[in-house]
Amino acid sequence: MAVVLAGHQYGKAENRVVRFQRDTPRHEIVDLNVTSTLRGDFADAYLSGDQGKVLPTDSQKNTIYAFAKEGPAGQGMAKGIVAVEAYALDLARHFVEETGPVTGARIDVDSYRWERAVVGGRGHDHTWVRAGGEVRTAAVTVSGDGPDRQTHVVAGLKDLTLLKSTGSAFEGFLVDGYTTLEPAQDRVMATSLVAQWRYDATCLTDGFDFDAAHDAVRAVLVAQFATVHSLALQQTLWHMGRAAVESVPGVVEVRLAAPNKHHFLYDLQRFGVENAGEVFHADDRPYGLIQAVVADEDAPAAPLAWER
Ligand SMILES: O=c1[nH]c(=O)c2[nH]c(=O)[nH]c2[nH]1
């Protein structure tokens, strides 16, 4: 039997970067969780313990914090972290271009939302309240040199909790000997959405507004969830993904994962009380997990963009 090192990559996980902008009395905050992953031939580090090609994860951490202040090579980042995708692009390019043994880099960013504290009816200058739940995500991959260079930007969100109290049905499903579910013409539909979308190369030009594109995709996803009369969560996801690809320029692929957060009508008939879709038991597990990949057929696939 021959045992081989069949794969490897390494990096610094979950760097918690909090960046303030304090050039005026009205401060800004960006709150991130950043993970670097470097790829290349680092086999010697594993097989013989030779660290000659290994840029320490500690140095990666320092780079992540330094770029939060000034961007690549001290170029100056007047507005701090402009968009998380642009920050991740700078970092990924830096590791591939400036570190000899590194042939590929992936930067993952989670961005937490803070809302200004409302004091005296006005958003406070330097106090915020953490907005729970939804997290903005970005995953940037840079790989190879020259004509082999691949650069991919996948933006996204997770834990976007959505619920509609009508406009959703689930009927006509396959029935077998174990099926007990009753068809529902009018049910509650709720999910905690994970959405990721891939931008094409037109979005890699300087000045592309990743924040506006993010807001546009989010708005389309929410609008479709609300307005499509759902025959199943599967059908809703299809409409959400299709609308995002069709309506937001540069978005060529959308991946959606939606737990079906079941709401069961509570049986009040046992107490002689009518329940016309008003009282539900919200169950947390198990849950259906519905997933979809929706893509522009004409856009080249990019498996590397999704490789974790
Ligand atoms: O939207 C749904 N899709 C399913 O596949 C499914 N299965 C189930 O039990 N309830 C639901 N709801």
Side-chain angles (χ1 to χ4, degrees):
M1 181 175 63
V3 179
V4 295
L5 179 69
H8 62 279
Q9 57 182 8
Y10 80 106
K12 194 67 131 190
E14 304 211 39
N15 298 274
R16 291 284 287 106
V17 178
V18 181
R19 165 62 151 112
F20 295 106
Q21 226 182 293
R22 350 176 354 129
D23 347 2
T24 69
R26 194 163 177 81
H27 294 179
E28 304 287 341
I29 182 173
V30 175
D31 182 359
L32 307 177
N33 193 14
V34 185
T35 294
S36 61
T37 306
L38 302 187
R39 296 163 180 160
D41 179 6
F42 304 108
D44 287 348
Y46 295 79
L47 301 178
S48 67
D50 176 352
Q51 307 304 317
K53 291 183 186 166
V54 171
L55 179 72
T57 66
D58 192 64
S59 313
Q60 298 172 40
K61 174 190 73 180
N62 290 340
T63 311
I64 286 164
Y65 282 90
F67 274 40
K69 165 67 180 168
E70 57 173 12
Q75 276 170 30
M77 202 180 261
K79 289 184 117 1
I81 296 166
V82 179
V84 286
E85 292 86 354
Y87 169 68
L89 267 167
D90 285 342
L91 281 167
R93 286 179 172 140
H94 167 82
F95 287 122
V96 173
E97 285 162 14
E98 307 300 330
T99 313
V102 174
T103 58
R106 176 179 164 112
I107 304 295
D108 284 280
V109 183
D110 283 358
S111 174
Y112 307 118
R113 293 192 313 139
W114 290 88
E115 286 164 1
R116 287 189 189 280
V118 177
V119 179
R122 178 176 180 274
H124 196 263
D125 281 350
H126 57 258
T127 306
W128 295 266
V129 178
R130 170 85 170 260
E134 183 182 351
V135 174
R136 177 172 168 177
T137 64
V140 167
T141 304
V142 173
S143 182
D145 278 329
D148 293 333
R149 168 63 58 88
Q150 286 191 52
T151 304
H152 301 295
V153 178
V154 173
L157 52 82
K158 60 185 179 186
D159 302 336
L160 172 61
T161 305
L162 301 167
L163 180 150
K164 61 197 288 186
S165 55
T166 189
S168 163
F170 189 65
E171 301 178 283
F173 43 81
L174 187 77
V175 172
D176 72 4
Y178 292 106
T179 303
T180 57
L181 186 72
E182 294 288 334
Q185 276 189 332
D186 182 13
R187 65 173 183 171
V188 170
M189 189 164 78
T191 190
S192 176
L193 187 71
V194 179
Q196 290 181 290
W197 52 93
R198 179 166 63 86
Y199 293 110
D200 67 9
T202 63
C203 307
L204 296 175
T205 50
D206 270 353
F208 179 77
D209 192 341
F210 285 109
D211 290 343
H214 186 279
D215 291 349
V217 174
R218 185 186 185 282
V220 164
L221 297 176
V222 172
Q224 291 295 306
F225 183 87
T227 58
V228 169
H229 179 81
S230 179
L231 301 177
L233 195 44
Q234 285 90 330
Q235 184 220 16
T236 295
L237 290 193
W238 159 246
H239 281 277
M240 292 165 93
R242 186 175 71 174
V245 173
E246 282 177 351
S247 68
V248 184
V251 172
V252 288
E253 180 177 359
V254 180
R255 297 191 173 194
L256 300 167
N260 189 356
K261 293 170 83 75
H262 302 296
H263 286 65
F264 298 111
L265 192 69
Y266 205 80
D267 181 6
L268 298 179
Q269 218 156 17
R270 295 172 290 178
F271 322 116
V273 176
E274 190 200 359
N275 186 3
E278 292 154 305
V279 180
F280 289 83
H281 164 227
D283 216 3
D284 71 338
R285 64 191 84 170
Y287 49 88
L289 181 59
I290 315 298
Q291 305 182 57
V293 179
V294 181
D296 175 352
E297 202 183 25
D298 297 329
L304 184 65
W306 304 98
E307 218 166 275
R308 299 199 68 84

